[in-house]
Amino acid sequence: MKKRGRGIGLAFYGTGYGNGFPDVSRARIRLLDDGKVGIYVGSTEVGQGAKTVLMQIGAEALKLDVEEIVFITEDTSLTPDAGTAAASRQTYNTGNAVKIACENFIERLKEIAKEELNLNSSYGLKVEAGNIFLDFFPQKKISFKELSKSYGSGNIEADGEFVAQTIMMDPETGQGAPYWPYTFNACGIELVVDTLTGLVEIERAVFAQDVGRAVNPHLVEGQMDGGFAMALGYILFEDLNLKDGKIYNNKFSKYLIPTAMDTIKVENIIVEDPESTAPYGAKGIGEPVMIPVGPAILNAIYDAIGVRITELPVTPERLIKAIQEDNERKEEI
Amino acid sequence: MVKIDLLVNGKKHSLEVEEDMRLIDLLREKLGLTGVKEGCSEGECGACTVIMDGEVVNSCLVMAFQAHESNIITIEGLDGEGSLHPLQQAFIDAGAVQCGYCTPGMILSAKALLDKNPNPTEEEIREGISGNLCRCTGYNKIVEAINRAKGV
């Protein structure tokens, strides 16, 4: 018999290393040839979109077109350390480092412009669209291009460092505030359980994710879709078959991950509630997107058949067994 | 050694290959076409997908000598005259690339699908790329990209 169920799952997740562990990101900004600005940052792009997002944050801070930015990353001989591409920390932590470095760079440019324009002070100078100019007398201006011509490539630079606030928990009580910031999300699932075959078919998925601010909504959706699919596999198919420390399902013919036919179009809702300590309010969501999906699926299965599943993945065999055991228990009563 | 003649991305090649050489090794090692990715080496992941006489194959499961007198298309054969293939452009526009490892195989499976069925439904698109595993995207933006590219 086919039984329909609905379930929701909610989660909150602290990003960054947390628990008092030093969490430091660094960035360097340099004026290059032809007025272009180089952002040097050791964050690693693994497909999550760090390059795009950090470049966008830099462009916003410098009030400069993205086309005018040269983004250098991953090369450890050229870039300052920005920590690992882990803990959902690049957008928030390294984003803050890039923003701080850009602000320091702007201050440096203003000092130089003061000399170059023979001004009494750097007060009232603005930096926008590759020009440094006096706000109330815009004819007094010098461009990035002119500065790179007279100073040469790479000779005007500024660094930025962001040290995240993380506090170690009380080891006695487990109490404290180990992470900052947190991100919040919710997932709703509608599914059908076939009680004859044990198959679970997801019919509808709605997923709301708080990102503080979506620097790049397209990338946020990509992360949400990816987290959903990975969680779907974790709940329904993926089984390492670990026995005595040995992984028996050690190939894709045995360890099944979702294909395009197993996933569905997720109705994504991006929730923007800017975080005051974040670069333009943006928080990382790399890991949290996976968390609420599992509970939502398991709650929907419970709603459909009235049986709590406590072992993953929910393979057809396990589901049938759980239904049978539940029936036996009920008969005993 | 076996002597084989084949057409790869429109270019004729005559080569001597070892009897136990796989097509993926021929393409990557002998012809330098490293857009052909090796994933599982057992025909499950689809990263090594190429088009052979109009059909998608896992080049890790095809022996090099079996490609004798065949017409092979790899991802390197899609862009012409400096411009991207509509599928490549659609993958970029839709945000269908994350880590990128599955992308060459995905695009070739999509091309083989659209060559046969220029106007597939979403279900047909999902079936068409079901031999290509992706761990990053959850497939939705890939499906969207193929939808965008159809008819272009």
Side-chain angles (χ1 to χ4, degrees):
Chain A
M1 195 172 19
K2 292 202 170 184
K3 294 202 166 177
R4 186 166 262 103
R6 298 201 293 184
I8 59 169
L10 310 172
F12 73 110
Y13 186 88
T15 64
Y17 297 146
N19 205 27
F21 195 81
D23 194 339
V24 183
S25 275
R26 296 183 185 90
R28 181 168 298 142
I29 316 295
R30 276 193 186 134
L31 188 64
L32 304 177
D33 276 334
D34 209 26
K36 300 237 187 232
V37 176
I39 299 180
Y40 296 76
V41 60
S43 75
T44 307
E45 174 62 56
V46 290
Q48 81 279 38
K51 273 184 184 170
T52 308
V53 163
L54 295 174
M55 212 193 294
Q56 282 183 262
I57 289 172
E60 185 76 23
L62 297 166
K63 296 191 173 63
L64 194 64
D65 202 276
V66 180
E67 307 294 323
E68 298 299 312
I69 290 174
V70 179
F71 197 80
I72 310 286
T73 185
E74 288 145 5
D75 187 335
T76 51
S77 71
L78 296 175
T79 61
D81 186 6
T84 54
S88 309
R89 61 181 288 286
Q90 287 296 345
T91 299
Y92 176 81
N93 298 61
T94 307
N96 264 325
V98 168
K99 185 164 175 274
I100 291 165
C102 287
E103 286 160 1
N104 293 342
F105 182 71
I106 286 170
E107 287 315 306
R108 181 87 188 95
L109 289 177
K110 285 182 183 173
E111 282 167 30
I112 291 168
K114 178 196 149 201
E115 301 300 322
E116 294 289 322
L117 298 171
N118 291 318
L119 300 171
N120 297 325
S121 148
S122 61
Y123 195 78
L125 279 172
K126 263 192 148 180
V127 177
E128 220 175 282
N131 291 302
I132 308 138
F133 58 95
L134 206 47
D135 198 21
F136 52 87
F137 186 40
Q139 290 87 339
K140 274 278 181 201
K141 78 164 184 188
I142 187 161
S143 69
F144 286 16
K145 271 187 188 164
E146 290 166 286
L147 284 180
S148 34
K149 217 173 242 170
S150 45
Y151 282 74
S153 177
N155 292 323
I156 301 175
E157 65 173 21
D159 286 354
E161 179 183 82
F162 177 72
V163 181
Q165 189 65 272
T166 81
I167 306 156
M168 199 169 149
M169 284 187 293
D170 184 330
E172 295 296 316
T173 63
Q175 299 291 302
Y179 288 96
W180 196 261
Y182 287 88
T183 126
F184 304 85
N185 55 27
C187 180
I189 294 285
E190 286 179 14
L191 54 71
V192 174
V193 178
D194 188 327
T195 56
L196 196 68
T197 63
L199 280 172
V200 174
E201 194 183 338
I202 311 285
E203 292 204 317
R204 189 176 173 214
V206 185
F207 192 174
Q209 174 70 51
D210 155 46
V211 293
R213 189 186 302 279
V215 175
N216 190 307
H218 223 116
L219 291 177
V220 171
E221 285 172 7
Q223 295 280 286
M224 292 169 75
D225 284 346
F228 180 87
M230 198 185 275
L232 181 77
Y234 179 66
I235 300 300
L236 296 182
F237 319 122
E238 295 176 29
D239 189 359
L240 287 174
N241 197 6
L242 189 70
K243 279 177 197 141
D244 300 323
K246 191 179 172 199
I247 292 171
Y248 283 85
N249 289 351
N250 59 352
K251 42 176 82 171
F252 284 131
S253 52
K254 295 199 268 185
Y255 185 87
L256 305 181
I257 73 169
T259 70
M261 293 184 79
D262 300 310
T263 58
I264 62 163
K265 185 152 179 58
V266 184
E267 296 166 46
N268 290 322
I269 301 163
I270 296 173
V271 179
E272 293 192 285
D273 179 17
E275 156 62 34
S276 63
T277 65
Y280 306 105
K283 299 186 282 192
I285 59 153
E287 294 156 297
V289 286
M290 201 183 153
I291 299 170
V293 181
I297 294 174
L298 295 174
N299 284 336
I301 291 174
Y302 177 74
D303 185 49
I305 58 171
V307 180
R308 277 280 167 211
I309 306 291
T310 54
E311 200 181 350
L312 296 178
V314 193
T315 56
E317 298 80 16
R318 280 211 181 112
L319 192 56
I320 295 286
K321 193 164 162 246
I323 293 170
Q324 282 166 352
E325 283 171 357
D326 185 65
N327 285 341
E328 283 161 22
R329 260 197 306 275
K330 279 178 187 150
E331 276 165 25
E332 279 168 26
I333 299 161
Chain B
M1 295 293 263
V2 192
K3 193 177 169 297
I4 62 167
D5 302 304
L6 75 169
L7 204 61
V8 181
N9 299 331
K11 210 174 145 196
K12 274 188 191 164
H13 293 274
S14 286
L15 300 151
E16 292 257 322
V17 298
E18 292 85 11
E19 285 83 351
D20 62 352
M21 183 179 238
R22 304 171 303 169
L23 178 57
I24 185 173
D25 301 319
L26 165 72
L27 296 170
R28 285 181 59 90
E29 310 300 333
K30 290 221 179 228
L31 303 181
L33 300 170
T34 50
V36 187
K37 301 296 175 197
E38 179 149 26
C40 66
S41 318
E42 57 168 3
E44 291 288 337
C45 77
C48 67
T49 299
V50 299
I51 300 176
M52 184 172 172
D53 297 327
E55 300 287 339
V56 286
V57 295
N58 289 312
S59 61
C60 72
L61 295 187
V62 177
M63 301 311 289
F65 69 81
Q66 291 178 298
H68 180 52
E69 293 188 338
S70 70
N71 180 2
I72 308 278
I73 298 170
T74 72
I75 192 71
E76 288 89 347
L78 282 203
D79 57 335
E81 290 147 35
S83 66
L84 292 174
H85 187 277
L87 269 165
Q88 291 173 312
Q89 190 60 51
F91 267 61
I92 293 170
D93 294 342
V97 181
Q98 285 189 31
C99 89
Y101 204 81
C102 74
T103 311
M106 267 310 169
I107 289 179
L108 290 167
S109 284
K111 178 178 164 27
L113 170 73
L114 294 184
D115 285 347
K116 282 183 194 164
N117 178 1
N119 193 22
T121 63
E122 181 174 330
E123 204 51 40
E124 287 167 336
I125 291 173
R126 285 181 180 274
E127 199 183 339
I129 57 167
S130 63
N132 297 77
L133 295 179
C134 170
R135 193 53 148 169
C136 304
T137 65
Y139 303 103
N140 290 328
K141 297 216 178 291
I142 293 175
V143 173
E144 189 190 320
I146 299 168
N147 241 322
R148 282 186 189 207
K150 70 184 186 189
V152 175

